[in-house]
Amino acid sequence: MGVKLDGGLVERVDGYVERLFVPRDEALAQGLADATAAGLPEIAVSPNEGKLLYLLARLCRPRRILEIGTLGGYSTTWLARALEPGGNLLTLELDPHHAEVARKNLARAGVGEVVEVRVGPAAASLRALIAAGEPPFDVVFIDADKEGYPEYLDLSLALCRPGSLILADNLIRGGAVLDGAPDGSLARGVRAFNAQLAANPRLEALVVPIFREHLDGLGIALVKG
Ligand code: SAH
Ligand code: DHB
Ligand code: MG
């Protein structure tokens, strides 16, 4: 997707930061390997982005975290490690096979007891949470199907309080969000989402660059009211 970043420098800098700040973690590495062996796509956040999610969540001292899009539980593990003692994380996943792989990985990483993986279309799960009067989440991480992002933001806002943090992955997509870039409905969903993030009076937000094999972006939004 998109144009590759100038190979040398960006990858070397990303690797330099990773070697300094994100020591190899056996449970996370084995979880990624098992997810790949089980046929899951290799689209988890990078180690550096996982650490960033962890740090941002940690600043909120969260007791309740919501994730939309589990895959093999890689980002889930980073976020679960940011929970305060006694806290818990709910992660929503469409694919039962992904959920099964994730549950094993989460158990091995020692967070199986504090994470619930709920299977089903995220929009339906979110509507059910709202209807059930679920208390607000401290942190929400949106990372499922990109076409669904605009709806996930609206539904997430109904599950937030002033001070909640909303994070969202893949907001730049190798530049495909720029006008005229040829990436069809995926980029359209993300472009609409970014416009919503920027314009919603309940949010103060920004997209920060994330370096992977291409340039991507992480949305960081603080819920004001
Ligand atoms: N957060 C993960 C990556 C998630 S990849 C990580 O960084 O480790 C996106 C996931 O969203 C996939 O597992 C996919 O099956 C799931 N997904 C796709 N459409 C969905 C939907 N409508 N509802 C819930 N999950 C969905
Ligand atoms: C892709 C990457 C992601 O982080 C994701 O959540 C979905 C898809 C991708 O590279 O296709
Ligand atoms: Mg992603």
Side-chain angles (χ1 to χ4, degrees), residues 1-24:
M1 165 208 329
V3 183
K4 283 208 164 202
L5 287 170
D6 169 11
L9 185 61
V10 171
E11 281 172 16
R12 273 160 53 222
V13 168
D14 205 46
Y16 164 79
V17 172
E18 183 180 328
R19 283 190 299 280
L20 264 179
F21 294 101
V22 194
R24 183 179 160 86

Side-chain angles (χ1 to χ4, degrees), residues 1 43-45 143-144 146 149 169-170 173 212-214:
M1 165 208 329
I43 55 173
V45 297
D143 194 20
K146 309 313 162 197
Y149 270 36
D169 193 31
N170 309 115
R173 300 188 65 85
R212 303 164 76 149
E213 59 281 6
H214 54 268

Side-chain angles (χ1 to χ4, degrees), residues 39-61:
L40 274 57
E42 295 182 71
I43 55 173
V45 297
S46 69
N48 286 350
E49 189 180 358
K51 178 76 181 273
L52 177 59
L53 293 174
Y54 164 83
L55 284 170
L56 290 169
R58 194 87 197 91
L59 291 169
C60 300
R61 304 230 164 259

Side-chain angles (χ1 to χ4, degrees), residues 48-116:
N48 286 350
E49 189 180 358
K51 178 76 181 273
L52 177 59
L53 293 174
Y54 164 83
L55 284 170
L56 290 169
R58 194 87 197 91
L59 291 169
C60 300
R61 304 230 164 259
R63 298 185 60 82
R64 295 171 48 73
I65 300 179
L66 173 66
E67 179 180 64
I68 305 172
T70 315
L71 194 65
Y74 183 82
S75 58
T76 320
T77 301
W78 276 108
L79 289 167
R81 288 176 175 173
L83 285 166
E84 289 289 290
N88 49 65
L89 185 154
L90 174 63
T91 182
L92 309 179
E93 173 56 52
L94 178 64
D95 187 320
H97 178 52
H98 295 188
E100 185 192 323
V101 171
R103 286 192 188 105
K104 287 188 189 138
N105 284 338
L106 293 162
R108 177 174 40 210
V111 294
E113 299 293 315
V114 296
V115 175
E116 180 192 344

